[in-house]
Each structure stands twice: as C-alpha cells, then as structure tokens.
Amino acid sequence: MRPILMKGHERPLTFLRYNREGDLLFSCAKDHTPNVWFADNGERLGTYRGHNGAVWCCDVSRDSMRLITASADQTVKLWNVQDGVQLYSFNFDSPAKSVDFSVGDKLVVVTTDPFMGLPSTIQVKRIARDPNEQTTESVLTIKGPVGRINRAVWGPLNKTIISAGEDTVIRVWDTETGKLLKEADKEIGHQKTITSLSKSADGSHFLTGSSDKSAKLWDARTLTLLKTYVTERPVNACAISPLLDHVVIGGGQEAVHVTTTDRRAGKFEAKFFHKNLQEEIGGVKGHFGPINALAFNPDGRSFSSGGEDGYVRLHHFDPDYFSIRM
Amino acid sequence: MAEVISMADIEASAARIGIDLSSINLDSIQLPPGEDFGIQSGDDGDLYQDDPLEFEGGFGNIIVVDNLPVVPPEKFEKLEGVIRKIYSQIGTIREGGIWMPVSPDTQKTLGYCFIEYNTAQEAELAREKTNGYKLDKSHIFAVNVLDDFEKYMKVPEEWKASEIKPYMPGENLQQWLTDEKARDQFVIRAGSNTEVFWNDPRQLMPELVHQRQYWTESFVQWSPLGTYLATVHRQGAAVWGGASTFNRLMRFAHPQVRQIDFSPSEKYIITYSSHEPSNPRDSHRIVINIFDVRTGKLMRDFKGNVDEFATGGSGGVSGISWPVFRWGGGREDKYFARIGKNVIAVYETETFTLVDKKSMKVDNVVDFSWSPTDPILALFVPEQGGGNQPARVSLVQIPGKEELRQKNLFSVSDCKVYWQNNGEYLAVKVDRYTKTKKSTYTGFELFRIKERDIPIEVLELDNKNDKIIAFAWEPKGHRFAVIHGDGPRPDISFYSMRTSQNTGRVSKLMTLKSKQANALYWSPAGRYILLAGLKGFNGQLEFYNVDELETMATGEHFMATDIEWDPTGRYVATAVTSVHEMENGFHIWSFNGKLLYRISRDHFYQFLWRPRPPSLLTTEKEEEIAKNLKKYSKKYEAEDQDVSMQLNEQDRKKRKMLQDQWNEWVAKWKQWHEEERQFRIQLRDGEASDEEEEYEAKEVEVEEVLDVSEEIVADQD
C-alpha cells in the first residue's frame, strides 16, 4: 500500500512508539513537541506541549493513560495521554536520553547524558498511581558507562536493566543492588556507538543497531549474541516484527555527509532481514534523509519510520508481504 | 597487539576496586625487572619483524678527499678556502666539518682531508661529482665515502673461488594457472591490509588466498605475465610469488623508491625515486635502477637532474612522465627507450648500452611509443617555424633506425597515438585547427602496419566538429570504438578496418545515439565492450555485444571510479576507491552484465586482476574451439550443475540448522515466559496479562459538561 506521509514535526524525528493496542502512534522529534497519531490512517490526534528542548524518547503505559517523555531540556515529563496535560516533571542535571516503563508501569528507567563534567547515569524513578503523590527522588542511580547511554530498557520481570551506548558495550545491571551483572564480549560486540536498542514483543531477546553498520540480536537473559545483520550504512534505528521472523533496520549515510552527494548514495532505506537466516529480504525507500526511528505496530501488519527529513512514514504491508518465502 | 587501555578505562577500574587515582604517584610504581604482566609493548608489533629498520649508522656522511697538494702551514688556510669553496656548492658542510690532518714532523699537510656533510645523500653526490676533479695537472682528486674504506680494507689479498651452492629447485611460480576450476586471482588493498583472492563466481564470493597487513608501503603491482606481485617499501621494492602462497622471491634495494615498472616479459624491473635537493634552487635529483628480476642484480643505473629526464623536449618544464623508460620489441625485452631533448635514446638489454652507441637524433620530438609486438617506434614531431614545417608522425624500425613510413600533417594542434594490441594497426588522433584557427576538429590517420608499404587511411567522423571523448581498439581484433560529441550525452560509434567485400577499407558499423558514457573497456578477448559513464555520469554501465550490435545489459555501480576486465574476459570488476569518501568496495559482473557479488571495504585503494601469460594455443586452434564451443563447454556445464546442486544442498542444510536452533531458543523462551507468568501478573497488580483476548472492549459513555448557561425564560402564565 502507498505509505502515509505524516508531516507534523519541523525537525528530525528521534523516536516512535505504538501503544499496546496499536491504535496510537507517539512520535518524538528534535522540535519540542511530541505528537500522537491514529496509527491506522495517520491523522494527528494531538500534541504534548511543554518541553523546551529536543525530545529524545518516550514510552506509553500499558493502559495507554500515561505518556512519559525524555528531553534535552533536562526534564522527563509525565503526560495524560487523553488531554495532553502535563502531570509531572522530573528535573535532572543533564539532558535525558531515554525512558522505559517497567512491567506494571510502576517504575521507569531514565538515562541522562554526560554534561558539564557530570557522568552519564541510569536512574530508576517510582511512578505513583496518583500524580499528586508523585515524588522526584530516584530509587536507584547507576554510574559507570563512559559517554552517552543511548538506551536503557527493563529486562525480564524488572529484575535487570539492559543499557547500551557510545562505549559500544551492552551491560546488564541488577535492579535491586545496581550491580553490573553481565557485559557483552568486546570482540563479538559492536565496534562503534550503539545507536538504538529494541526489545522483542515478549522481551526475551532484543536488537541493537550501531554506527558500525550492523545490527545484532541478543538473548535478554544470557546476553549471548544470537545473530548479526550487516548493511552498508550506519544503523540508527531497528525493530523486531512481533508477527513474523523479520527485523527491520534503518539508518543511512551520516547526516553531515548527506548534502555532498546524490540521494541514491545515501541508502536511506528501511531494510528487512530474515531474523534467523540473517538474509536481506528487501528494502523500503522513501525518506530523503537517514532514518532515525522505526517501530512495528504490535499486530505486525504495519510499521512506521521517522527520518532526519522530519517525516513519519506509515506503511501498511501488502498481502504478499505475509507470503514471502525464504 | 596488546589491548589498548584508555585513561577512562583505568579510571573506571580504579573506581571499581576503590582506589583514588589522584592519590597515587604513577611514576613511583616500578614493575619487577623482566616482568611485563602480559602486556606487550606496542612498539614490537609484526610491523618490523620482516624488515628490520636500517638505522643511519657509521660515517656515511663523511668523505675522504685524496691527492690534495701538500702545503706548508702558511698556505694551509688558502687551501682550506679552496676546498671549502668546491665542496660547499654540493651540500651543507657541518660546522667544523673540514679536517685536514697535518704531519707532526714537517708541519705540512698530508695531502688528504675529511669533509663531513649533513646527510649521506650529499656525501654520495659529492663523491660522484668530484671524484676525478682536476685541481691542476698533478692533483686529480680521489674521493671516497669514509664507510667504503672499511669495505675496501676487507678485500682479501688472494682471490678465492666463491662457493657454488647446490641447486635448489624453485617453486612452480605458475601454479595458479593450473587451478582446477580455472579461476582467476585478484589483489585488493584496503586500509592497511593487502589481500589476494580467487574470484569464485560459482560460490558468488571470493576465496582468500593470502593476506598480510602492511604488505606494502604505497601500492602493489602484478608483473605483466602475473608471475610476481611487487610491493614498494622505503628501502626498495620486493617481488612475491610461489606455488601455494606468497613468499618473498627477491628484493631490490632502492631507498625511497616511488615508482616501479616491469619489462613486458618480466625479465627486468625498473625502479625510480626522486630526491629533494639540499639546495632549494637546484632541481630534484632522480635515480633510476634497472634490476634483473630473477637474480636481483643491478643491471644499470641512471642518475641525474629532473631536467635530463623530463619529457616535452624543448620546453623542459613538464617534469617527469612515468614510465621514463618504455619497453619495446615485443615479448623479448630487447629494447627500452626514453625521450630527451631532440633525441630518442634507445638502449638494448644485451649490454645495457645505447643501440649503435648513440642516441637517435630527432629534432623537437615530443612523444614516442613502441608497437606492442614489434621493435617499431612511432614518433611525433609538432609543427615548427609557425607552420612552415609541417608536423610529422613517423614509424622507425629498431635496431636499424630506418624510417618505415612517415606522414606530414598540417595545422596540427595535437596528436595522440593508439596501437592495436597485436601491433597490426595504429591510429593517430589528430586535432587540427580550423581555418580561422579559433577552434579545432579531429580526424584519424589509420596505419596498417602489417601490410606492404604500410598504407594510411584518413578517417573523419560524420560530424567532424564532434569532440573525441574516448578511443579504444578491440584487443586482437580489427574494430575500434569512439565516443564523440559535445553535449552531455555523447554518441558512440563502432568502426571496422574491413568491410564485408574489401579488407582494405575502414567502415562504420553502428552509431549509438546519446549514451551516458565517457569511457570504453573492451573485453580482453574482444567482441564485448563495456560502455561506462564514470565521474559525472555516476557509474552507468552498459554491456554491449559488438558482433551482434546489441546491448546485453545495463547496470549501475554508483560512483564507480575503476573498471577492469579479468584477463580471460569472463568477468568485470567495478570499484569505488577511496577517492570517494563513501561506499568503498567492488562489484564483480559477468561479461554479459549480470551482477554476481558485491564486497564493501572501507579505505579501498586498489583492485588488480592477476594477469595471465598469453595463450599457448595457435590461432587456428582457438578458432576451432570457438567453432565447437558446445563440445568443449559440456564438461564445464556439468560441473556447474554439480556445484549448484551441492550449494543448494548445503544451503538447505544450513537453513534447516539455523531454523532448528532458533526454534530451540523460542521454545526455551516460551517456557520461561510461562513460568514467569504469575510474577508478571503480580507486577501488574493482578491484571490478567499478556494476550490480547484477555482484555475486553467496554463501551464507556462519557458525559462532559461543556458549558453551563442560565437563561431566563419568560413566564407564559
């Protein structure tokens, strides 16, 4: 089907997130206003106004009532999904890069950038059921990784936190004690900055994308490397299909080089790979800048991509996609 | 190599074990002697293991000048002044660098002195220039480098016959030609690695033969018949080869070598270097050595200023054009020649001296080239005296130096010579001025070398104002292709030196209109040509069959910079080298334009097919094979089928294995997932969990008060 072009942001996209039912799509961009869209027809439902810097990441609660956003304005804000009212704002000493709700939505993990001499951190906050009782203190603060932590997510049963970032090492932390449990092997791991991390639907494995032009699939419990997908361009975004054994990875020539050559050279494609054969299935072209964000609809029948060009492209798969034989 | 530890890592691990780094004086820590805790020093990597660095030791920069006049003390200063004057012209003499010993008995000088220069090169130059310098009749300088004295002193008094080493059979250097699958090799250079691969089109990927880091310091080059791979180093050049892998076969010492060139049948290698002069006003010094490839013996060296080797005759500003020496005389490596001011110097390899002991005088000659197969030189002399003396192209036979054919050309602005690779035809592209002298147009003079009296034919394009963008002869054939036109989409024409009835006439076969091409690559076997649009055309490719006059396929290798056919004409490699920042790597295509495989490499510098020696089959035999191709190809087709079946089988097995492995994981995960179900529900406060069906759709009516207004309604009663 023809993709639906969603123009609601004035700056490059940074993150995309579907709610659990798959009827809403939340988009974050370097302009200061996250948007929410109908995931079916691409109509814009509303915006969340209040941030004063690029919004890097967001997450939505299981019941689709609360949205949480991380921004470069050094805050993480909690919103009411329905009416766009800001419920609470956590203040940090440095820009917040990623957020992720735990199972049960009672905890949230936030990463902050290294800033003005402060090291990067992973922090866990408790989310109160009633926003009026919300407090700001962290349940847990983890320091250690060097450079930006681009993404931190919850492991199975909220027992671990998985982090990845500029120092190319994937780490698993204990959520009770904050201790480092596992570290991915440097030899087999990524060689350059890990730009993105995306969990499978059941949280059993996850996919990381890196500037070293590859994406890798890992077991969330044992941190064993399962698969590697190699492309020709730095990877900025990745996602795992909840329906078929497919993964999609996107990226492209680095933004600073884009203007120097032809558009064809950039390879701004969302590439589909077979998850366990590691073979390329096909690509979806369209963006005229690198792809920064990718997300599958939880039903696996559509996906959306967000680019440096400021567009969100919503793709509903054609019937023949579901009959691809490898 | 040792793992690199950054300061940040150290800080992190210090923090982990609870040590405050700032409280430690790192300099005070001493390791026990001889202990390195398993950490290798970065200095002794593999880099220098093969070629130990040659340090500048000894007294290479000091010369000894003998046969000076013996003078009394009162004339000492005058003599020293004279010597200083002579030797400071050549290079910078170190402070206090002249020492003239004086006899303690007579107080007279001893007739020799030592001079110390800044560099060994200057000392060497001084030795070359002033050895035999006549100060006066009875004082002829004898100059030696101090280091050499030791060498001369060591010469034994009596001559001893050198030991004869027992004969060691060498490796079969042609082993690669006997590959069962008749594959070809190629070498690539990317990053610091140099790798040799088999091109394996059946597997759709290359197979590694040999790989080395820092194999060369600037580039690699195959010898013309593919026997050797040459590498270039600071100390000189080296050639590599062997039956199964690549061993070093010979080294050719030549400090700071820049360029190398093999003779056509690989007997000799020419190395070239150019050195900065110590005096900035002087021109660069050039050293050229010719070695025998197999023995490593230096056959001849040439040294001199840039001007002496510069081409371009009269002007002399144009600098060196490589190769300085061009090899001729076909496959026997008999002659090589270079151009000088008003001369062509032709040397022969039996004695490494000039043919007939003198250069061939050709006034104002600016360019020359050898026939690829015969000892015939083509010379070009431009117009002289403002057009009174016409420009001239002539063919000269070596060693007789007699002119075989000559053609005068009028109002010529430039000329370029193209030999067909069998030496049968010669095309001269002539740019002439129009009558107004404001613009030029191009025509071709076609020589038939192998026919009696060498007939010449003039060819002009249909539109003679068209600019010629490229010209190429069909290898081993009688056809040529020309790209011509002015616009952004030029035309391509094919011509044949024969017509169907008449073998002595050139005829046009076909013109292809408006093509995106600016370079021509004939298959080495002829018949097929790759029309390529490089640079401005972004790497458009068109595979064309000239026999049938039809396009076989089109393709694109975006931003391709280099194109090379394999020596058999079966495959083509297109490459993007590091002149472009992005998407470095190469593609391999079949001759008919099917993309076989792609390899990406960062910092990709070179792609070179390993050449093959010429076929040993006679022309008749080759024709016979071409005629009965079906019969011969049967065997290979069967093999192909076998391989593809095998591959399919392998592929299926591999897929099955991967799938099984995956299913195993998934089963494990599912099990865990089930086990953890209760915990998850607990975490979600008892809300039934994972699957979609567990949540029910409720229709909720929400009433919202939008506005409340009070209205006074008039009482009707």
Side-chain angles (χ1 to χ4, degrees):
Chain A
M1 221 172 97
R2 271 176 72 90
I4 299 167
L5 244 76
M6 293 142 75
K7 178 74 183 150
H9 289 288
E10 289 160 1
R11 296 284 318 277
L13 269 285
T14 55
F15 196 77
L16 291 168
R17 181 91 173 98
Y18 283 93
N19 67 340
R20 189 170 80 103
E21 283 86 354
D23 61 338
L24 300 177
L25 173 65
F26 298 89
S27 63
C28 305
K30 287 187 184 167
D31 60 19
H32 308 164
T33 318
N35 286 352
V36 58
W37 315 76
F38 279 119
D40 185 47
N41 58 9
E43 228 174 279
R44 183 155 71 169
L45 204 62
T47 56
Y48 300 91
R49 288 175 198 279
H51 274 302
N52 204 15
V55 181
W56 289 117
C57 189
C58 70
D59 197 11
V60 60
S61 64
R62 186 179 156 87
D63 57 7
S64 302
M65 297 299 282
R66 302 267 182 274
L67 177 74
I68 191 160
T69 53
S71 164
D73 65 3
Q74 311 190 5
T75 65
V76 167
K77 289 183 195 291
L78 200 60
W79 311 83
N80 189 335
V81 168
Q82 272 180 326
D83 54 15
V85 171
Q86 180 186 322
L87 300 174
Y88 194 78
S89 180
F90 299 96
N91 291 313
F92 294 89
D93 301 330
S94 61
K97 181 73 193 193
S98 94
V99 286
D100 192 46
F101 274 123
S102 69
V103 176
D105 299 332
K106 289 191 206 89
L107 298 169
V108 64
V109 58
V110 179
T111 65
T112 61
D113 288 349
F115 186 62
M116 306 277 282
L118 293 168
S120 55
T121 62
I122 302 169
Q123 301 190 27
V124 178
K125 304 269 182 192
R126 196 174 293 285
I127 302 293
R129 182 155 286 196
D130 182 351
N132 295 324
E133 293 167 15
Q134 183 63 49
T135 52
T136 189
E137 64 263 16
S138 297
V139 184
L140 178 72
T141 302
I142 300 169
K143 288 176 194 173
V146 180
R148 241 182 184 184
I149 303 163
N150 281 325
R151 192 91 171 100
V153 296
W154 294 92
L157 293 182
N158 300 349
K159 283 186 178 149
T160 56
I161 290 170
I162 303 161
S163 76
E166 280 180 351
D167 66 356
T168 76
V169 182
I170 299 169
R171 293 186 176 84
V172 177
W173 311 85
D174 189 319
T175 44
E176 291 292 318
T177 59
K179 271 190 189 148
L180 180 66
L181 295 178
K182 284 195 183 73
E183 241 180 23
D185 192 341
K186 264 194 182 169
E187 289 292 308
I188 59 167
H190 286 292
Q191 301 305 313
K192 286 187 181 163
T193 300
I194 297 171
T195 51
S196 53
L197 190 161
S198 159
K199 281 196 288 184
S200 69
D202 62 0
S204 60
H205 53 293
F206 64 91
L207 183 67
T208 54
S210 161
S211 308
D212 68 4
K213 304 180 185 172
S214 72
K216 287 174 189 281
L217 194 72
W218 309 79
D219 188 311
R221 283 184 181 79
T222 60
L223 207 61
T224 36
L225 177 65
L226 303 176
K227 304 284 170 188
T228 300
Y229 313 95
V230 182
T231 66
E232 294 155 326
R233 289 283 178 271
V235 178
N236 295 341
C238 56
I240 302 173
S241 167
L243 186 65
L244 301 175
D245 274 343
H246 292 174
V247 298
V248 59
I249 63 183
Q253 198 177 20
E254 281 155 57
V256 286
H257 295 143
V258 167
T259 52
T260 57
T261 48
D262 191 289
R263 177 161 62 97
R264 280 170 297 170
K267 302 251 165 94
F268 309 128
E269 268 180 279
K271 281 204 169 165
F272 281 76
F273 283 80
H274 194 276
K275 189 156 69 176
N276 66 51
L277 299 180
Q278 309 176 64
E279 281 169 34
E280 194 178 320
I281 298 169
V284 178
K285 286 182 196 168
H287 282 287
F288 45 93
I291 292 174
N292 290 339
L294 282 168
F296 264 104
N297 191 303
D299 67 5
R301 296 185 175 273
S302 65
F303 84 103
S304 52
S305 56
E308 188 79 13
D309 55 9
Y311 283 98
V312 177
R313 296 173 76 93
L314 177 59
H315 305 260
H316 290 277
F317 293 116
D318 290 326
D320 37 343
Y321 165 79
F322 300 100
S323 53
I324 292 173
R325 293 231 147 262
M326 288 293 282
Chain B
M1 279 281 168
E3 204 178 320
V4 178
I5 300 171
S6 72
M7 201 55 211
D9 288 340
I10 296 173
E11 279 163 13
S13 56
R16 218 177 301 141
I17 53 177
I19 294 174
D20 183 9
L21 272 183
S22 57
S23 69
I24 298 173
N25 179 5
L26 290 174
D27 295 328
S28 70
I29 300 174
Q30 275 192 333
L31 296 182
E35 176 60 89
D36 60 1
F37 290 98
I39 302 167
Q40 270 186 9
S41 162
D43 305 338
D44 35 66
D46 333 316
L47 180 49
Y48 299 115
Q49 265 171 16
D50 283 309
D51 300 305
L53 262 186
E54 281 171 27
F55 291 103
E56 273 202 21
F59 304 102
N61 56 336
I62 300 177
I63 56 170
V64 183
V65 186
D66 265 317
N67 288 347
L68 292 176
V70 176
V71 294
E74 54 269 27
K75 283 196 175 173
F76 183 91
E77 269 186 24
K78 191 177 175 192
L79 179 63
E80 198 187 59
V82 169
I83 292 167
R84 188 178 290 280
K85 201 174 159 193
I86 295 170
Y87 283 96
S88 60
Q89 284 172 357
I90 294 164
T92 320
I93 299 173
R94 283 208 185 156
E95 213 169 305
I98 297 186
W99 185 52
M100 204 159 17
V102 177
S103 162
D105 308 330
T106 60
Q107 294 299 314
K108 282 187 177 177
T109 61
L110 291 166
Y112 59 88
C113 80
F114 300 89
I115 299 172
E116 185 177 6
Y117 280 107
N118 262 339
T119 64
Q121 277 90 358
E122 286 167 334
E124 179 61 27
L125 187 66
R127 188 191 67 79
E128 252 172 58
K129 280 202 167 172
T130 59
N131 193 16
Y133 181 90
K134 279 186 184 170
L135 191 66
D136 55 47
K137 256 183 193 161
S138 51
H139 296 102
I140 299 170
F141 287 3
V143 186
N144 286 298
V145 180
L146 190 56
D147 268 359
D148 287 342
F149 270 83
E150 206 178 326
K151 197 168 80 191
Y152 298 142
M153 298 304 282
K154 272 188 190 160
V155 177
E157 291 294 313
E158 268 180 63
W159 178 80
K160 262 190 257 160
S162 56
E163 239 177 272
I164 293 171
K165 286 181 193 156
Y167 170 72
M168 294 273 287
E171 283 180 274
N172 180 5
L173 300 180
Q174 256 86 36
Q175 183 83 31
W176 98 97
L177 291 170
T178 61
D179 180 50
E180 264 182 21
K181 298 177 207 158
R183 297 173 299 179
D184 274 292
Q185 286 188 348
F186 59 82
V187 63
I188 62 165
R189 217 155 53 73
S192 56
N193 276 328
T194 304
E195 293 154 277
V196 180
F197 289 100
W198 288 110
N199 169 36
D200 205 329
R202 278 176 184 155
Q203 313 269 6
L204 295 183
M205 59 178 164
E207 186 191 320
L208 187 68
V209 179
H210 192 70
Q211 175 186 16
R212 268 176 88 108
Q213 224 182 359
Y214 307 113
W215 200 350
T216 176
E217 278 170 47
S218 50
F219 61 92
V220 293
Q221 189 173 324
W222 293 105
S223 63
L225 306 182
T227 313
Y228 309 105
L229 181 70
T231 57
V232 177
H233 308 267
R234 223 169 310 151
Q235 301 93 333
V239 292
W240 307 71
S244 52
T245 180
F246 282 82
N247 305 317
R248 186 166 54 216
L249 301 173
M250 192 48 70
R251 282 204 274 189
F252 310 103
H254 186 151
Q256 280 144 48
V257 58
R258 286 275 194 72
Q259 296 280 5
I260 56 174
D261 187 28
F262 282 95
S263 67
S265 55
E266 322 183 321
K267 271 194 203 141
Y268 305 105
I269 183 171
I270 302 187
T271 58
Y272 161 91
S273 65
S274 124
H275 302 273
E276 287 264 349
S278 49
N279 184 344
R281 276 167 302 176
D282 291 348
S283 46
H284 282 232
R285 253 173 64 76
I286 282 181
V287 179
I288 295 173
N289 291 326
I290 304 178
F291 296 94
D292 185 306
V293 173
R294 271 171 295 182
T295 62
K297 189 180 162 200
L298 178 63
M299 306 305 288
R300 171 91 201 240
D301 60 342
F302 298 87
K303 289 175 184 169
N305 284 328
V306 165
D307 315 344
E308 297 168 40
F309 291 95
T311 53
S314 45
V317 266
S318 51
I320 295 290
S321 81
W322 184 256
V324 174
F325 288 99
R326 296 177 200 170
W327 290 92
R331 294 281 171 203
E332 280 112 52
D333 288 355
K334 260 190 166 156
Y335 305 105
F336 58 101
R338 74 173 178 91
I339 191 168
K341 284 189 184 89
N342 299 328
V343 291
I344 302 280
V346 184
Y347 299 83
E348 45 111 5
T349 53
E350 234 157 83
T351 57
F352 278 89
T353 52
L354 287 167
V355 172
D356 298 343
K357 304 221 163 35
K358 57 177 188 280
S359 304
M360 191 163 63
K361 195 163 162 56
V362 186
D363 281 336
N364 300 310
V365 61
V366 293
D367 198 12
F368 80 102
S369 63
W370 286 97
S371 154
T373 48
D374 305 295
I376 295 175
L377 277 174
L379 310 173
F380 171 61
V381 180
E383 235 163 64
Q384 297 298 320
N388 287 333
Q389 235 177 316
R392 183 158 58 95
V393 171
S394 53
L395 297 175
V396 177
Q397 176 93 45
I398 300 295
K401 297 187 183 175
E402 70 254 25
E403 203 162 68
L404 297 175
R405 193 73 163 88
Q406 183 199 357
K407 170 96 182 186
N408 287 339
L409 303 161
F410 296 92
S411 37
V412 170
S413 83
D414 197 15
C415 244
K416 202 156 167 21
V417 173
Y418 300 92
W419 285 93
Q420 188 252 9
N421 79 336
N422 279 1
E424 285 173 53
Y425 307 109
L426 170 71
V428 181
K429 188 187 93 179
V430 188
D431 295 334
R432 289 189 175 85
Y433 292 110
T434 50
K435 274 186 187 135
T436 57
K437 291 235 168 191
K438 274 179 186 154
S439 57
T440 59
Y441 65 97
T442 310
F444 291 96
E445 311 277 331
L446 303 166
F447 292 67
R448 294 169 195 274
I449 307 291
K450 295 284 157 89
E451 284 170 36
R452 204 161 64 87
D453 294 338
I454 310 183
I456 301 175
E457 200 170 343
V458 180
L459 172 73
E460 273 179 5
L461 298 178
D462 298 345
N463 176 5
K464 63 179 189 177
N465 291 326
D466 272 359
K467 258 202 341 232
I468 306 295
I469 297 162
F471 176 97
W473 282 103
E474 177 182 27
K476 301 188 207 165
H478 54 89
R479 292 176 287 208
F480 58 89
V482 187
I483 304 182
H484 54 95
D486 286 319
R489 283 169 162 269
D491 300 342
I492 301 171
S493 298
F494 296 98
Y495 292 85
S496 169
M497 293 300 281
R498 307 173 187 157
T499 56
S500 44
Q501 306 90 22
N502 192 341
T503 53
R505 285 287 300 274
V506 61
S507 64
K508 191 168 97 172
L509 299 171
M510 179 70 155
T511 297
L512 307 171
K513 291 279 182 199
S514 1
K515 287 286 175 191
Q516 289 200 20
N518 49 19
L520 299 166
Y521 295 92
W522 283 95
S523 157
R527 194 166 164 196
Y528 306 110
I529 189 169
L530 175 54
L531 315 170
L534 305 179
K535 291 174 192 147
F537 289 130
N538 294 345
Q540 299 292 329
L541 308 169
E542 184 168 342
F543 297 81
Y544 195 80
N545 180 339
V546 185
D547 273 3
E548 308 293 330
L549 295 174
E550 62 181 17
T551 301
M552 295 185 292
T554 55
E556 184 190 41
H557 183 181
F558 190 68
M559 282 304 176
T561 54
D562 294 81
I563 292 179
E564 203 182 351
W565 283 85
D566 85 327
T568 59
R570 294 176 295 175
Y571 306 102
V572 191
T574 60
V576 178
T577 55
S578 61
V579 288
H580 283 296
E581 221 172 89
M582 17 96 32
E583 195 66 20
N584 279 196
F586 62 93
H587 295 184
I588 302 286
W589 309 71
S590 69
F591 76 96
N592 54 3
K594 192 177 153 214
L595 180 59
L596 298 176
Y597 59 89
R598 299 183 291 187
I599 303 284
S600 290
R601 282 298 165 87
D602 280 345
H603 303 288
F604 190 70
Y605 299 114
Q606 261 189 311
F607 181 101
L608 292 172
W609 289 101
R610 187 171 195 172
R612 282 167 179 262
S615 165
L616 298 171
L617 299 176
T618 58
T619 330
E620 293 79 46
K621 185 75 184 162
E622 263 181 43
E623 269 166 20
E624 194 252 298
I625 291 175
K627 236 182 233 164
N628 303 316
L629 197 62
K630 283 240 166 72
K631 194 175 91 195
Y632 289 97
S633 63
K634 228 175 219 159
K635 174 186 148 204
Y636 296 101
E637 273 162 16
E639 259 176 41
D640 275 353
Q641 205 163 3
D642 279 359
V643 170
S644 82
M645 290 225 325
Q646 235 174 37
L647 280 181
N648 282 340
E649 184 62 20
Q650 273 174 17
D651 202 39
R652 243 194 33 208
K653 272 192 190 149
K654 199 180 129 203
R655 277 160 182 253
K656 190 156 183 325
M657 203 233 354
L658 286 171
Q659 194 63 45
D660 289 349
Q661 209 177 10
W662 184 256
N663 291 342
E664 205 177 301
W665 272 321
V666 172
K668 207 165 60 189
W669 287 333
K670 279 233 170 88
Q671 193 193 331
W672 271 326
H673 206 64
E674 278 307 309
E675 281 168 16
E676 289 166 354
R677 189 189 190 83
Q678 284 309 316
F679 295 104
R680 255 197 320 276
I681 292 174
Q682 209 178 322
L683 280 174
R684 287 183 177 135
D685 299 336
E687 191 184 330
S689 116
D690 309 321
E691 282 72 37
E692 284 302 312
E693 59 218 42
E694 287 164 15
Y695 84 94
E696 51 199 89
K698 257 192 286 178
E699 228 165 87
V700 185
E701 246 172 66
V702 182
E703 258 177 57
E704 227 173 291
V705 183
L706 292 175
D707 195 14
V708 180
S709 61
E710 232 171 79
E711 223 172 292
I712 300 170
V713 180
D715 199 345
Q716 295 290 324
D717 299 329

